[in-house]
Amino acid sequence: MAPFVLPHRLLGDGPHRVFAVHGWLADRDAYAPVLPDLDLGSFTYAVVDLRGYGEAKDAHGAYTTREAAGDLLALADRLGWDRFSLVGHSMGGSVAQRVLAAAPGRVRRLVGVSPVPSEGLPMPPEQWELFAGAAERPENRRIIIDLTTGGARPDAWLDRMVRRSLERSDPKAVRAWLDSWAGEDFHAEVDGLGVPALAVTGALDPALGADLMRRSWLGRYPNGLLTELPRAGHYAMDETPLELVRTVEDFLRADGPA
């Protein structure tokens, strides 16, 4: 049987190679708002669909962050990328940290955009019920997106986000992914690793905000940094795309030439 290849879109021809990994309620189109303004002369981006999403919507798998890390490393080998950086949004931030745990020598720089910590994200019962029900219930997805953007976004935007989420994800995969990113604690595998690691949070996000990153991300990575975007919530790619591009690419560029 041929190995599974993560569907992906390549952009740019720069020497610094970067994987962009989406979050729980979106496929790789989550990055669409930032793509027109990326520095494609300095960077080459591979924007991927994880199993259960987008072009990989029908792909079977365990739907775990560990499996996804293996998929990304296999794609890196296929692309001939010996070293690369990673940008991961939310659940994708957990996946990116799993890649670091598996192959620390291959990761140049790590960026988490509202990233799930390597400790996972324990939830009280009511919150867990809301998230677990989001696999099958559009209204749960809408509540989650609204809450994590501070209740400040237009109804039409919320409706569009939910519609895209439903169209581009498999409900069974969404439910299985939750158990992995929320329930698994692998912090011992990344604790103390010296990779430069930036967490970007949104001030309007009550779930994965700056306070949590100070207790988790900055406690794990000796070369960790934290930036809070004052006008963003959980979906900075949509909410503040230019601020996000500038913040992320300035951090990646600080690595110097390839």
Side-chain angles (χ1 to χ4, degrees):
M1 180 183 295
F4 178 72
V5 178
L6 284 178
H8 58 282
R9 179 183 177 190
L10 288 173
L11 301 101
D13 56 6
H16 191 150
R17 291 142 173 183
V18 185
F19 283 112
V21 189
H22 63 81
W24 184 51
L25 295 180
D27 67 329
R28 72 180 189 231
D29 282 350
Y31 287 98
V34 305
L35 298 186
D37 301 303
L38 298 176
D39 178 356
L40 302 183
S42 298
F43 304 100
T44 299
Y45 288 91
V47 189
V48 305
D49 278 328
L50 299 174
R51 297 186 196 223
Y53 297 89
E55 292 181 23
K57 183 177 177 180
D58 297 325
H60 297 293
Y63 309 117
T64 65
T65 58
R66 186 184 297 276
E67 177 185 67
D71 288 341
L72 279 163
L73 287 168
L75 179 57
D77 292 342
R78 186 182 183 90
L79 295 172
W81 292 10
D82 293 329
R83 295 192 73 227
F84 48 83
S85 294
L86 295 146
V87 177
H89 174 241
S90 194
M91 175 182 82
S94 180
V95 171
Q97 291 175 85
R98 282 283 200 185
V99 174
L100 175 65
R106 299 185 69 175
V107 178
R108 291 178 64 169
R109 294 201 154 218
L110 176 69
V111 179
V113 181
S114 300
V116 173
S118 56
E119 298 93 324
L121 194 66
M123 303 179 196
E126 279 190 15
Q127 186 178 356
W128 181 263
E129 183 178 347
L130 173 68
F131 275 67
E136 299 288 348
R137 300 190 190 108
E139 61 270 26
N140 287 37
R141 299 191 191 202
R142 195 181 195 280
I143 290 169
I144 291 167
I145 295 169
D146 190 26
L147 287 173
T148 58
T149 52
R153 302 307 175 206
D155 286 341
W157 180 81
L158 294 170
D159 292 341
R160 178 171 63 82
M161 292 289 282
V162 172
R163 188 164 57 248
R164 182 179 71 184
S165 176
L166 293 169
E167 291 171 352
R168 305 290 286 172
S169 65
D170 174 67
K172 295 186 298 298
V174 170
R175 180 61 188 84
W177 273 108
L178 175 63
D179 288 336
S180 180
W181 66 256
E184 295 174 2
D185 181 348
F186 60 94
H187 78 270
E189 299 177 44
V190 298
D191 205 10
L193 293 179
V195 64
L198 172 66
V200 183
T201 62
L204 302 180
D205 182 0
L208 290 164
D211 287 345
L212 178 59
M213 293 305 116
R214 292 187 186 97
R215 300 195 303 270
S216 57
W217 188 277
L218 295 184
R220 297 286 155 245
Y221 302 114
N223 293 316
L225 297 169
L226 172 63
T227 296
E228 183 179 63
L229 302 179
R231 295 184 296 169
H234 190 68
Y235 295 90
M237 294 90 73
D238 267 86
E239 298 170 272
T240 57
L242 295 180
E243 290 92 333
L244 182 64
V245 170
R246 181 64 186 267
T247 299
V248 170
E249 290 197 333
D250 281 357
F251 172 75
L252 295 175
R253 209 174 276 114
D255 193 55

